[in-house]
Amino acid sequence: MTSPASPVLVIGECVADIVRSGAEPERVHPGGSPANVAYGLARLGRPTVLLTELGPDANGRLIRRHLESAGVRVRAAEVARTPSAVVELDGQGRARYTFDIRWTLPPTELAEPPAAIHLGSIAAVTEPGAGSVLALVERWRGRARISYDPNVRPALMGDRAESVRRVERWVALSDLVKASDEDLAWLYPGERPEAVAERWLALGPAVVAVTLGAEGAFARTAEGGHAEAAALPVPVADTVGAGDSFMAAFLHARTAGAELAVCLTHGVTAAALTVARPGANPPSAAELAAALTDGPASHAPASAG
């Protein structure tokens, strides 16, 4: 458990999500899985630092303003242009991504010791920056709790067997791992998520949580603990950022010492609030507290869907 005042260091990419949906006008939303988690943590009241890369362009300024509006302290290496992703939504609001991104984070020293470090997605597997992330995490492992979300992007992962090796290396370095059933289906075709979770626990983490879309989520611990949570019905605007909102709420609750079932409930509720509105827009602490009391549907925008 970490103090509520202890900062969480999130490491990873910022991405300008260029959202296209049918005949609607193109929209640009701040995104990137680690950036979304940082934003979600800060919205929930957790002091958060994001170690990332941003360009000196309009998208970079948009993303920085967005993050800082929630209280995230942004520590960004400058790159030529801010990464972007074209996000195409189908009729059910599910997202497909086409990326324009590089990850070149240089070797980095921390200005202050973190209580926890979260990483994942593109920044954990894309060289040369992934090497800098690994070196930093290895220096702090044992002194800071490590959480990891592979957030698999097949178009950027390359060879599947090599991707599995890299993902499992991060799993073994982490205390808490979260993945989606879609992540696991790509990494381990045909395997049950529950079987993968058990195998990952054997690699070293204390907790593995898996989101199952409309089927909810489950979590297991190395000590044999198990919890499940049903998905919560809300009108769906899109699914962009839902997994990151789950991660932020689950991690926030877990680092505050909440029981596993409570962490799952916070996660699925935050995800439900996020899918009910466009873009990666996680709930504030007040919104999450109200939804936990009244149910997320009562706080979903009337126009969503």
Side-chain angles (χ1 to χ4, degrees), residues 258-277:
E259 296 292 329
L260 196 62
V262 173
C263 297
L264 277 178
T265 299
H266 281 228
V268 297
T269 303
L273 289 169
T274 301
V275 302
R277 49 202 190 191

Side-chain angles (χ1 to χ4, degrees), residues 190-220:
E191 293 197 42
R192 296 172 58 249
E194 294 82 1
V196 176
E198 290 294 339
R199 189 160 70 253
W200 279 6
L201 285 169
L203 295 176
V207 179
V208 172
V210 179
T211 58
L212 305 169
E215 302 301 315
F218 71 86
R220 295 188 176 181

Side-chain angles (χ1 to χ4, degrees), residues 19 24 32 39 43 50 82 90 103 125 136 148 177 197 220 268 282 300:
V19 181
E24 295 182 11
Y39 183 78
R43 291 267 288 165
L50 176 64
T82 299
D90 65 15
W103 176 249
V125 297
L136 193 154
Y148 170 59
V177 179
R220 295 188 176 181
V268 297

Side-chain angles (χ1 to χ4, degrees), residues 118-244:
H118 174 76
L119 67 139
S121 197
I122 296 164
V125 297
T126 302
E127 298 294 353
S132 298
V133 179
L134 178 62
L136 193 154
V137 169
E138 287 182 329
R139 283 200 301 276
W140 285 93
R141 185 171 182 247
R143 292 181 286 169
R145 294 195 177 195
I146 310 300
S147 60
Y148 170 59
D149 178 1
N151 195 46
V152 169
R153 300 304 189 199
L156 300 174
M157 295 296 285
D159 177 73
R160 191 191 310 271
E162 176 61 19
S163 296
V164 170
R165 187 193 68 79
R166 287 181 295 184
V167 166
E168 289 182 349
R169 178 185 62 186
W170 283 117
V171 170
L173 287 171
S174 300
D175 301 294
L176 165 63
V177 179
K178 172 262 175 188
S180 71
D181 54 350
E182 293 181 347
D183 294 333
L184 301 186
W186 189 86
L187 291 165
Y188 309 100
E191 293 197 42
R192 296 172 58 249
E194 294 82 1
V196 176
E198 290 294 339
R199 189 160 70 253
W200 279 6
L201 285 169
L203 295 176
V207 179
V208 172
V210 179
T211 58
L212 305 169
E215 302 301 315
F218 71 86
R220 295 188 176 181
T221 73
E223 298 177 344
H226 181 256
E228 298 179 359
L232 303 174
V234 291
V236 176
D238 63 50
T239 62
V240 176
D244 302 325

